């Protein structure tokens, strides 16, 4: 391969350490969401270093990380101020809990910082270690809230197909992925799902705007079917991430908001991916003008440098909970001092360098233009979409008729392998190729990302043509 965009042509497995790590990994490490047998037969790629938008593997390949780790490294790799914050906090107070009438400076400082950047009316936060725990907390909090108001029957939370809300029993139940529910008898009782607002797949002859209303009305129908006296809340990601970067039609969120208001059920925004700049605003709710009651956060809160998540609680809910005595819920590491110190340093960095504002006004419009220029006319893809730093295309058999491949998910995984081989990290979800690069890309790096993505999809198209 003599493409100047491909960083290295060194054959894999040239470094004896790689082989040792791969063998030990295969011997002892069970990977998330992975088929151990096929992974171990091939060996995992060993990532050893990160710098800006790039990763390096144990073979010395330089990789463009167009997934920001796992939708989280918003400020890019290698920011010294975040490492310093961790070091200093570890020396000062590496751990103390926030149970039993105690607190500590990092958790207090972070709480002020987060509630200041959050939408108006969000003045309280409950800490977790992850987005999954955040959504488990949401389930308990919502049910507790209604019980406090004398309506303990209001328990059902309505979510959507293809949603991703985590992998704990609660998170996986809220998630709308059948392949997760199939394992271990999920969802738990009290979770219902409606259609996701995916115009390209489900819109048929309707315009996106008409379809957006129709998809939102599925919520109303579900509330009526279940009985409003049983329904506690609706939860949704402002833009569905892991489900394939599903950008709802513009009419969708206003109608969801209206329905939640009309029936008096709580609206929960899962901001785990959308939060902290991914949409070009601090929160996806800001982008869409959604007024939620609870917001789940994680990932970009610390740019992934430390595990931390939480639930932001609107005043209207916090008032009820704070009057109601003990909320019997919490984790050893709720508000962990080191994680809080790093998250606080991350938010200060986003503020000081105006990373979100600069991205939105400068590089983002350029990146959107380049993405469309690269793919709008490409015969292998359709539904070319971007919003903030979400980028996606869907592999299609025939563009004109919106005809998708019968086994598009398998093809997308093969396409992902082509990207991986060419040192570009993109994700495959169903038949879409998706990407969520760090917010700190320069224009030059946008060129590099888009050119590389285009070349990889071209290469995959050539592979398909040869079959
Ligand atoms: N909500 C949303 C919207 C998420 O994207 C979670 C909750 C759960 O967060 P934790 O921190 O518990 O993982 C997520 C996580 C993928 C992928 O393949 C996406 C996530 C996690 C793992 C893989 O795109 N999102």
């Amino acid at each position: 391969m003599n493409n100047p965009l491909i960083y290295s042509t060194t054959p894999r497995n040239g470094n004896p350490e790689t082989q040792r790590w791969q063998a030990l990994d295969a011997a002892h490490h069970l990977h998330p969401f992975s088929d151990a047998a096929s992974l171990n037969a091939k060996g995992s790629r060993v990532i050893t270093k990160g710098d800006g938008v790039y990763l390096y593997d144990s073979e010395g390949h330089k990789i463009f990380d167009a997934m920001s780790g796992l939708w989280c490294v918003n400020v890019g790799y290698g920011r010294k101020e975040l490492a310093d914050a961790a070091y200093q906090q570890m020396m000062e107070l590496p751990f103390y809990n926030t149970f039993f009438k105690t607190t500590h400076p990092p958790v207090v400082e972070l709480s002020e910082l987060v509630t200041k950047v959050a939408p108006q009316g969000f003045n309280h936060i409950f800490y977790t270690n992850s987005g999954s725990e955040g959504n488990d907390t949401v389930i308990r909090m919502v049910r507790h809230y209604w019980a406090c108001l004398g309506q303990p029957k209001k328990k059902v939370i309505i979510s959507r197909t293809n949603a991703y809300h985590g992998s704990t029993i609660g998170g996986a139940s809220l998630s709308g992925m059948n392949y997760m529910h199939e394992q271990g008898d999920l969802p738990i009782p009290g979770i219902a799902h409606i259609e996701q607002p995916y115009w390209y797949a489900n819109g048929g002859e309707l315009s996106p705007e008409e379809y957006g209303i129709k998809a939102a009305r599925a919520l109303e129908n579900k509330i009526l079917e279940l009985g409003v006296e049983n329904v506690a809340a609706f939860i949704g990601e402002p833009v569905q991430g892991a489900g394939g970067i599903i950008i709802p039609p513009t009419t969708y969120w206003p109608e969801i908001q209206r329905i939640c208001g009309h029936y008096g059920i709580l609206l929960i925004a899962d901001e785990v991916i959308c939060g902290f700049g991914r949409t070009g605003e601090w929160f996806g709710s800001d982008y869409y003008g959604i007024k939620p009651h609870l917001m789940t956060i994680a990932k970009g809160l610390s740019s992934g440098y430390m595990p931390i998540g939480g639930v932001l609680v609107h005043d209207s809910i916090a008032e009820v909970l704070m009057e109601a005595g003990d909320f019997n819920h919490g984790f050893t590491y709720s508000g962990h001092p080191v994680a809080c110190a790093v998250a606080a340093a991350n938010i200060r960095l986003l503020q000081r360098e105006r990373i979100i504002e600069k991205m939105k006004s400068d590089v983002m419009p350029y990146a959107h233009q380049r993405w469309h220029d690269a793919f709008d006319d490409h015969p292998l893809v359709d539904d070319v979409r971007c919003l903030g730093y979400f980028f996606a295309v869907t592999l299609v058999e025939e563009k004109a008729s919106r005809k998708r491949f019968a086994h598009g998910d398998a093809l997308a995984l093969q396409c992902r392998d082509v990207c991986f081989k060419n040192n570009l990290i993109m994700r495959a979800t169903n038949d879409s190729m998706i990407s969520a690069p760090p917010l700190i890309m320069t224009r030059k790096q946008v060129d590099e990302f888009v050119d590389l993505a285009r070349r990889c999809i071209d290469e995959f198209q050539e592979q398909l043509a040869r079959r």
Side-chain angles (χ1 to χ4, degrees):
M1 169 119 7
N2 43 20
N3 166 18
L5 288 164
I6 307 303
Y7 296 119
S8 166
T9 55
T10 317
R12 292 271 161 79
N13 299 322
N15 174 357
E17 280 299 283
T18 303
Q19 285 169 15
R20 193 175 70 86
W21 283 324
Q22 286 177 330
L24 289 174
D25 192 67
H28 303 297
H29 178 197
L30 293 171
H31 288 243
F33 284 89
S34 300
D35 170 8
S38 65
L39 177 67
N40 293 342
K42 247 184 122 192
S44 295
R45 190 169 194 167
V46 184
I47 304 296
T48 51
K49 188 178 163 58
D51 183 20
V53 300
Y54 303 107
L55 292 168
Y56 296 83
D57 70 11
S58 56
E59 297 292 297
H61 294 101
K62 184 179 179 187
I63 303 160
F64 197 112
D65 182 11
M67 276 314 298
S68 306
L70 210 43
W71 318 82
C72 54
V73 187
N74 290 6
V75 299
Y77 297 97
R79 291 304 305 238
K80 187 167 178 301
E81 29 300 69
L82 273 61
D84 286 344
Y87 177 78
Q88 281 163 21
Q89 189 55 47
M90 280 199 192
M91 294 306 290
E92 192 69 23
L93 179 71
F95 176 74
Y96 200 70
N97 71 70
T98 51
F99 292 49
F100 318 134
K101 302 185 179 178
T102 58
T103 192
H104 50 70
V107 77
V108 176
E109 300 288 348
L110 177 63
S111 304
E112 200 216 1
L113 278 168
V114 177
T115 52
K116 277 227 166 101
V117 297
Q120 228 193 342
F122 282 90
N123 289 301
H124 293 86
I125 177 166
F126 188 100
Y127 288 102
T128 68
N129 304 290
S130 66
S132 300
E133 287 178 0
N135 283 324
D136 278 37
T137 299
V138 158
I139 296 174
R140 297 203 64 206
M141 204 178 254
V142 157
R143 290 179 174 176
H144 180 54
Y145 166 84
W146 285 115
C148 290
L149 292 182
Q151 299 188 65
K153 268 182 68 190
K154 275 176 99 63
K155 281 200 181 115
V156 179
I157 301 181
I158 300 175
S159 178
R160 304 177 295 179
T161 51
N162 228 16
Y164 190 77
H165 297 296
S167 197
T168 48
I169 287 185
S173 293
L174 290 172
S175 296
M177 285 148 179
N178 291 338
Y179 59 87
M180 291 177 75
H181 293 164
E182 278 162 11
Q183 297 179 339
D185 249 343
L186 300 179
I188 54 169
I191 309 286
H193 293 87
I194 58 170
E195 173 176 330
Q196 62 178 341
Y198 189 8
W199 173 79
Y200 190 79
N202 305 328
E205 295 302 306
L206 298 179
S207 69
E209 292 72 26
E210 289 165 341
Y211 172 72
I213 299 285
K214 176 172 176 255
R217 295 267 166 89
L219 173 60
E220 183 156 40
N221 296 339
K222 188 56 96 179
I223 294 170
L224 295 173
E225 177 196 321
L226 296 168
V228 67
E229 68 283 6
N230 298 312
V231 179
F234 170 77
I235 185 166
E237 303 151 77
V239 173
Q240 281 189 335
I245 304 193
I246 308 302
I247 302 172
T250 52
T251 49
Y252 181 75
W253 278 113
E255 184 63 5
I256 289 283
Q257 183 85 52
R258 184 194 70 74
I259 293 165
C260 289
H262 180 77
Y263 291 97
I265 68 164
L266 302 187
L267 176 50
I268 303 152
D270 182 337
E271 295 270 4
V272 168
I273 283 180
C274 289
F276 302 95
R278 179 65 47 203
T279 64
E281 304 290 340
W282 276 88
F283 292 91
S285 295
D286 296 325
Y287 180 89
Y288 283 111
I290 306 167
K291 303 243 171 293
H293 297 93
L294 301 173
M295 302 202 307
T296 320
I297 56 174
K299 295 189 188 273
L301 169 59
S302 67
S303 283
Y305 279 56
M306 286 294 286
I308 182 167
V311 181
L312 274 159
V313 183
H314 190 269
D315 294 346
S316 55
I317 308 301
E319 276 162 22
V320 174
L321 296 178
M322 288 165 74
E323 287 283 302
D326 286 348
F327 177 39
N328 299 317
H329 180 73
F331 307 100
T332 302
Y333 300 130
S334 286
H336 188 287
V338 180
C340 287
V342 171
N346 175 60
I347 293 177
R348 290 194 185 103
L349 181 63
L350 286 166
Q351 288 175 323
R352 193 171 61 249
E353 297 190 357
R354 302 183 60 249
I355 288 173
I356 301 169
E357 293 80 354
K358 276 196 195 153
M359 155 204 171
K360 181 181 166 188
S361 62
D362 180 21
V363 187
M364 186 178 92
Y366 177 71
H368 287 186
Q369 189 62 49
R370 288 255 24 224
W371 190 254
H372 279 288
D373 289 348
F375 291 113
D376 279 352
D377 296 330
H378 198 293
L380 186 62
V381 303
D382 203 7
D383 198 16
V384 178
R385 54 200 186 274
C386 41
L387 185 158
Y389 273 8
F390 288 103
F391 299 86
V393 293
T394 300
L395 301 176
V396 286
E397 196 164 345
E398 192 189 72
K399 244 169 137 91
S401 59
R402 273 156 63 183
K403 182 164 180 239
R404 295 160 76 183
F405 287 105
H407 300 289
D409 47 352
L411 291 180
L413 287 173
Q414 293 161 19
C415 186
R416 184 189 68 177
D417 288 344
V418 171
C419 297
F420 211 53
K421 177 174 76 80
N422 287 322
N423 297 319
L424 170 68
I425 297 190
M426 280 183 75
R427 285 256 290 105
T429 292
N430 301 321
D431 50 3
S432 286
M433 298 304 301
I434 65 179
S435 166
L439 313 185
I440 44 91
M441 272 194 301
T442 60
R443 281 176 185 239
K444 204 162 151 259
Q445 288 167 338
V446 168
D447 289 340
E448 205 177 326
F449 157 53
V450 176
D451 291 346
L452 200 43
R454 167 79 203 214
R455 271 203 58 91
C456 291
I457 288 180
D458 285 348
E459 186 180 324
F460 183 59
Q461 188 189 17
E462 286 159 25
Q463 271 186 22
L464 284 181
R466 282 198 299 273
R467 286 182 195 171

